[in-house]
Amino acid sequence: MINKWLFKHIDNSALILFRIFFGILITLEAWGALFTGWIDRTLMAPQQTFNFIGFDFLQPLPGNGMYYYYFIMGIFGVMVTLGYKYRWSLSAFTVMWTCVYLMQKSSYNNHYYLLVLICLFMLLVPANANLSLDARNNDKIRSISTPRWVHLFIILQLLIVYTYASFAKFYPDWLDGTVAEILMRSKKDYWLIGGLLQEKWTHITIIYFGILFDLLVVPLLLWKKTRTPMFIFAVFFHLFNSIVFQIGIFPYLSLAFCLFFFPTEVIHKRFKIRKEYYDKGEILIPSNAGLMKAFFVTWFIIQISLPSRHWFIRGDVLHTEEGHRLSWRMMLRSKSGISTFQVVDKNTGDTTLVKKEEYLSKKQLRTVSAKPDAIWQFAQRLKKEYAAKGQDVSVFVDAKISVNRGPYVQLTDSSVDLGSAKWDYFFHNEWILLPEEH
């Protein structure tokens, strides 16, 4: 029964259109980074990047290498849009994008992670089966249908993303408007809408619409009676986010996902797709159906588990950051920190107060004062630097943080040598102090 449900074929207009929109957006993401200064600020200006722990071997290319890197990524995006050597070009883009994602955390964004997941999804599906140069050059891959699981996969992935994003907002500083006020305070100089964004009623609207939109957008897009009004509201919601928060391609990618919620005949007719409409409803079960189902189950177990892992780590994730990444905790808090790093020579006892600005960019200075994993990584790098000069040192860090403009509280145990400490990937790192331990 489940095979018939998953592998029943439907018209592929939504998938083909999504490939085109997706290709355009990843091209803009890559080439946009060339013109906004993001590459220079994040990858080229700093002496070193803060990788995801375990991926220190991924470092920016020397000289102007990262400019060429992103330019080539944009070319692959164009190839995806045109459906030219689709699998090869998207595979190359996916690898290059994932490497950059893992290469730096100072500009961490959940949307970057989502893009990795969607790239992997697009590699699985026959998105070049029509309206593509590949299909024009090879009749064997041309098709007007796709299995139903393609739509279901996207819908379930989005349901996970939005549901976790909604649940994460159920905490005091979001519900009382503190976070909304902080987020909008930096937008007061925006032309025309800056003053409006400071109003109390605007903050209240952001609080409840933020929760309700994330919680209901997928169910209401699935229900025929609410699909169109929900889509209209989604357009407003995502354009607001794009203008106010300037979060790149994500709002437009989110709107492109809506293609998978509308009936296939509506998409085919409204966009005037220049291909035959498929309505035969054939059930074509592939020989590797069992393997595919095992993959889907594994994928979604991981997708459900990763965002909830912080509940099994001691301490509040808002304070410790342990379990924060890969969890769809988006625009939930403002955090600032103060940190001092002391290097102590184990042989002589000489102590050196590290001048962080000599090592780090402005963005990295903020990161290394508030994010425990970055604090640990910087301590490790200091130890290695001194070791290269023949000194065996300890690195002690005194860091305090403020969450949502609250009082500063101690973050690190300043008596622990972080140069010798090991990073615990799965459980609480004891040198990260919890508020109740102060």
Side-chain angles (χ1 to χ4, degrees):
M1 184 67 180
I2 192 169
N3 281 352
K4 293 181 179 179
W5 189 57
L6 291 174
F7 299 108
K8 179 180 179 179
H9 272 237
I10 58 177
D11 185 78
N12 65 358
S13 296
L15 177 61
I16 300 305
L17 275 174
F18 182 79
R19 186 208 80 229
I20 296 171
F21 290 145
F22 179 72
I24 292 171
L25 290 172
I26 62 176
T27 301
L28 292 173
E29 181 71 33
W31 285 350
L34 291 170
F35 298 103
T36 60
W38 185 91
I39 296 174
D40 184 65
R41 290 193 305 273
T42 307
L43 299 173
M44 296 178 65
Q47 297 178 30
Q48 53 196 350
T49 62
F50 286 95
N51 308 69
F52 277 70
I53 294 174
F55 291 90
D56 289 351
F57 60 91
L58 293 174
Q59 291 295 326
L61 298 174
N64 292 323
M66 294 311 297
Y67 288 120
Y68 301 126
Y69 188 98
Y70 268 79
F71 180 74
I72 292 171
M73 272 207 297
I75 291 176
F76 289 136
V78 172
M79 293 170 69
V80 170
T81 306
L82 299 175
Y84 179 65
K85 297 189 181 300
Y86 172 74
R87 302 284 183 194
W88 183 86
S89 57
L90 182 55
S91 295
F93 181 91
T94 302
V95 171
M96 295 179 75
W97 178 264
T98 304
C99 285
V100 173
Y101 172 71
L102 296 172
M103 189 183 296
Q104 58 78 33
K105 293 183 295 190
S106 297
S107 293
Y108 176 80
N109 193 317
N110 271 290
H111 309 150
Y112 298 161
Y113 168 51
L114 180 62
L115 188 52
V116 173
L117 298 181
I118 299 305
C119 282
L120 294 174
F121 162 78
M122 291 297 285
L123 282 171
L124 296 174
V125 298
N128 62 332
N130 221 301
L131 299 185
S132 70
L133 294 178
D134 286 347
R136 190 178 73 176
N137 297 331
N138 184 359
D139 287 337
K140 293 181 179 180
I141 70 168
R142 185 177 297 145
S143 175
I144 60 174
S145 70
T146 194
R148 179 187 277 157
W149 68 258
V150 171
H151 286 223
L152 297 176
F153 190 103
I154 279 289
I155 290 169
L156 185 52
Q157 180 65 60
L158 292 178
L159 180 63
I160 292 170
V161 171
Y162 281 116
T163 301
Y164 274 112
S166 178
F167 287 172
K169 293 180 175 67
F170 283 92
Y171 85 100
D173 283 358
W174 180 273
L175 296 174
D176 68 10
T178 299
V179 176
E181 181 183 354
I182 292 171
L183 288 174
M184 293 302 106
R185 194 177 299 169
S186 62
K187 320 295 180 187
K188 63 182 179 181
D189 294 328
Y190 278 22
W191 177 76
L192 194 61
I193 61 172
L196 188 64
L197 296 176
Q198 311 311 309
E199 296 291 337
K200 185 67 176 178
W201 67 266
T202 302
H203 302 162
I204 294 173
T205 302
I206 290 170
I207 294 167
Y208 292 105
F209 273 87
I211 292 174
L212 292 174
F213 179 87
D214 288 344
L215 188 63
L216 298 176
V217 60
V218 171
L220 293 184
L221 282 174
L222 286 171
W223 190 22
K224 181 180 179 180
K225 291 183 178 180
T226 55
R227 183 177 295 129
T228 298
M230 187 68 238
F231 174 70
I232 294 172
F233 182 75
V235 171
F236 169 80
F237 180 86
H238 289 302
L239 288 180
F240 175 86
N241 283 341
S242 178
I243 293 169
V244 174
F245 298 111
Q246 300 174 10
I247 48 178
I249 67 170
F250 178 71
Y252 308 98
L253 182 62
S254 298
L255 291 175
F257 287 137
C258 293
L259 289 166
F260 295 102
F261 290 86
F262 284 86
T264 55
E265 61 269 24
V266 171
I267 299 299
H268 185 271
K269 182 178 179 180
R270 293 288 173 85
F271 287 90
K272 303 185 184 302
I273 305 297
R274 299 174 68 178
K275 72 174 187 63
E276 180 185 352
Y277 177 71
Y278 177 88
D279 59 0
K280 295 179 182 179
E282 299 169 290
I283 299 172
L284 304 175
I285 301 174
S287 59
N288 63 342
L291 182 62
M292 292 178 66
K293 287 187 290 185
F295 171 80
F296 297 152
V297 170
T298 303
W299 175 282
F300 286 112
I301 287 176
I302 293 172
Q303 289 303 308
I304 292 170
S305 301
L306 275 179
S308 60
R309 70 193 187 282
H310 68 87
W311 292 109
F312 302 94
I313 301 174
R314 193 161 66 91
D316 186 346
V317 63
L318 287 167
H319 180 87
T320 68
E321 296 280 322
E322 294 171 308
H324 171 78
R325 295 187 179 90
L326 317 182
S327 64
W328 315 119
R329 301 178 59 80
M330 297 178 275
M331 292 188 291
L332 282 177
R333 81 283 189 267
S334 170
K335 181 178 282 189
S336 58
I338 304 169
S339 66
T340 57
F341 287 71
Q342 285 190 331
V343 174
V344 179
D345 190 304
K346 292 183 179 180
N347 295 318
T348 66
D350 292 342
T351 300
T352 302
L353 185 63
V354 177
K355 297 180 179 179
K356 293 178 295 183
E357 61 276 9
E358 295 180 356
Y359 295 86
L360 306 170
S361 67
K362 289 182 178 180
K363 180 179 287 188
Q364 289 177 330
L365 284 170
R366 293 193 295 270
T367 301
V368 87
S369 293
K371 307 293 176 65
D373 56 343
I375 290 172
W376 178 84
Q377 285 177 294
F378 187 48
Q380 295 288 306
R381 291 175 184 177
L382 288 171
K383 184 176 180 67
K384 289 179 182 178
E385 180 180 291
Y386 277 84
K389 296 185 291 187
Q391 291 179 262
D392 185 15
V393 300
S394 298
V395 183
F396 300 99
V397 184
D398 183 10
K400 299 178 177 65
I401 59 166
S402 167
V403 179
N404 297 331
R405 308 284 172 91
Y408 277 87
V409 295
Q410 192 71 29
L411 177 65
T412 59
D413 185 341
S414 58
S415 67
V416 174
D417 175 12
L418 294 189
S420 300
K422 302 298 183 183
W423 180 260
D424 194 324
Y425 294 87
F426 305 106
F427 300 100
H428 176 61
N429 289 273
E430 295 300 328
W431 55 266
I432 303 174
L433 298 180
L434 306 180
E436 61 269 20
E437 295 174 341
H438 301 153

